[in-house]
Amino acid sequence: MPNDATPDPNEEQIAFGQRMKILRDRRGMSRPTAAGLLGMSTSWVKQVERGQIGMPKLPVVLRIAELLRVRDLSDLTGDQTAPVDLFIGPGHHRLPAVRDAVNALTLGATNRQAPSPAHLAARLAKAWAARHQAPNHREVIGDLLPGLIHDAQLAVRQADTAADRRAAQAVLSEVYSLSQFFIAYQPDSALLWRVAERGMVAAQESEDPHAIGVAAWLAAQAHRDSGPAHFDAANAMTREALAFLEPALPDADDRTAAIAGALQFEAGYTAARRGETGTAWGWWDKAQATAARLPASYYHPVTSFSQAIMGAHAVTIAVELRAGGESVRQAVAADATAIPSRPRLARHRIEEARAYHLDGQQETALATLERAHEAAPETIRYNGYARRIVLEETESRIPARRQRAAVLADRLGLLAA
């Protein structure tokens, strides 16, 4: 291997500090940025990366893992004896069937008539409703997706007119959107990106503003979750989609207005990840104004955008800005009972737990994660932030808290060898 080649952090001889630097460089994150987000000095990060300071204790290691979005904790620590996935959850047993449906071609001859776009849209609406109502939502939609993917692809192929083809493409795009909710945080990132790209292509072919908005919303999230080096791409995707939707907004129906509001929040979310406080809250204000024009009972089936979700969104902005006290204030103010979706409620509980953890209220954070588990166990099992908090608290010096965290870690499958 050439001397100037980038080392592989998975090779065991590489020390913790070297792994940290390699992973930080791969994320496109500067040393001062990493230091600021960790609450440490730049010189501390430099000393750790140079091996002048040994591997920190587990709570700090987990914060570094969260910051660098490592999939497996051993990628950072080098300890391969007990791998622990953080931001990639377990592979669902229905993932192979969904993958096969995505990868299959519909070029062969078939005597079966494709369902109409209207029929597919009705099935899709039922699938979204089932997802929101189910605690085991990946199980539910994983069962429905292979048939939906195949039928939507067939509908596009068999469309007789340009109008029918556009309608079928709009449905296919949303089927891919549902697929992204299933595939996210599972061990096949290439499949996630393939589905995201296909969803965007189908949306553009449909020329439907709502479909384009949803595809852009999900693509922006995929870019942002890829790390700081991709924040610009996430922001560009969001702003371009908003510019596309803007002319239609004065007369837009509720779902198109809602996707615009969801994109406004996404712009704020990315700004918060960058530590841009004023910009982040400015976008939240715009999203709040958009939510206010929607009926009080309206709830967007894909993005969850609604009046009910804005309190939860405020918690997320404060947490991403690392503002512990403000995060807790927003958590107390948010009306979680207004969120009708079980997986979205569980996600909100996790954000609340992050708020309490930031504020030093670890006992309350654990209790809140237990409530997230009650709402939707599959959501918390696949959430890296929740997993990090639970693992950190298994090292607590307080026996009762350590035991409580160990019980929750066992439920999440974190203690499995």
Side-chain angles (χ1 to χ4, degrees), residues 78-201:
D79 181 4
Q80 305 292 325
T81 59
V84 176
D85 289 326
L86 285 177
F87 284 88
I88 295 295
H92 196 278
H93 72 98
R94 295 196 184 278
L95 179 61
V98 173
R99 183 192 295 118
D100 289 345
V102 171
N103 291 339
L105 293 174
T106 57
L107 300 179
T110 178
N111 294 323
R112 189 169 70 84
Q113 179 64 39
S116 68
H119 176 81
L120 285 169
R123 283 169 58 187
L124 192 53
K126 288 183 179 179
W128 284 117
R131 176 186 179 271
H132 289 304
Q133 294 163 7
N136 58 332
H137 46 94
R138 276 187 172 83
E139 181 72 21
V140 170
I141 64 173
D143 185 42
L144 297 172
L145 275 171
L148 273 170
I149 293 168
H150 179 78
D151 286 352
Q153 290 173 337
L154 194 62
V156 171
R157 181 166 169 250
Q158 292 184 359
D160 292 327
T161 68
D164 286 345
R165 186 176 179 82
R166 286 195 297 270
Q169 290 279 23
V171 174
L172 177 60
S173 177
E174 193 170 326
V175 169
Y176 283 137
S177 296
L178 181 63
S179 302
Q180 286 178 253
F181 277 84
F182 173 82
I183 298 167
Y185 306 116
Q186 292 203 58
D188 196 338
S189 57
L191 180 65
L192 179 67
W193 276 107
R194 189 152 64 252
V195 168
E197 289 167 356
R198 289 188 185 183
M200 178 59 75
V201 170

Side-chain angles (χ1 to χ4, degrees), residues 375-390:
E378 282 192 350
T379 295
I380 187 171
R381 285 188 69 210
Y382 287 82
N383 187 281
Y385 299 114
R387 294 154 76 88
R388 192 267 291 178
I389 292 171
V390 171

